[in-house]
Amino acid sequence: QEQLVESGGGLVHDGGSLRLSCSAARRTTSNNAMGWFRQAPGKEREFVASISWNGGSTIYADSVKGRFTISRDRSTVYLQMTALNPEDTALYYCASGRSSYAGRDSSGYRYWGQGTQVTVSS
């Protein structure tokens, strides 16, 4: 069992930036894809971004493309968020993939963090 811990969430003004981090407590995810999902109040969880085991392949949701950047350092994954707007307000979850590559489907992820709240004020 792996434990993922997210950090870096907070309150930011429209147009601001935040950097989320996610660390694997047992560092067992270095050979697995990692991803970020988010869930806004009253909405379903949605895919944000994913990165392959070696960082060589990334996928982004259309809604964040060009504004968010996912990166990793072995078992730690980051999400640099810029040009934030109120529609980005959500609980952001980190997840580790079942294999070296993972995409938009949440079923491709095995372990999940507890989430970190991002709130963007207008």
Side-chain angles (χ1 to χ4, degrees):
Q1 187 82 9
E2 177 60 270
Q3 182 179 7
L4 303 178
V5 180
E6 303 98 335
S7 62
L11 174 64
V12 65
H13 290 300
D14 192 352
S17 300
L18 281 174
R19 188 194 195 206
L20 306 183
S21 299
C22 171
S23 297
R26 298 180 61 191
R27 301 185 182 278
T28 61
T29 60
S30 59
N31 292 325
N32 296 79
M34 300 288 288
W36 287 96
F37 290 74
R38 66 186 183 185
Q39 186 167 20
K43 295 186 177 181
E44 294 187 353
R45 184 173 56 189
E46 65 174 359
F47 170 81
V48 176
S50 67
I51 188 167
S52 61
W53 71 281
N54 62 355
S57 176
T58 57
I59 302 172
Y60 294 93
D62 288 343
S63 60
V64 307
K65 200 173 296 183
R67 299 187 299 122
F68 291 10
T69 302
I70 188 171
S71 61
R72 69 182 298 165
D73 178 12
R74 297 188 180 180
S75 291
T76 299
V77 64
Y78 306 95
L79 187 68
Q80 179 67 49
M81 306 185 294
T82 63
L84 286 162
N85 59 66
E87 288 69 41
D88 295 315
T89 295
L91 188 61
Y92 283 70
Y93 296 94
C94 165
S96 63
R98 298 181 184 275
S99 63
S100 299
Y101 294 86
R104 307 170 189 271
D105 190 343
S106 61
S107 66
Y109 297 84
R110 181 178 184 184
Y111 299 116
W112 294 79
Q114 295 297 308
T116 185
Q117 179 67 39
V118 172
T119 302
V120 184
S121 63
S122 57

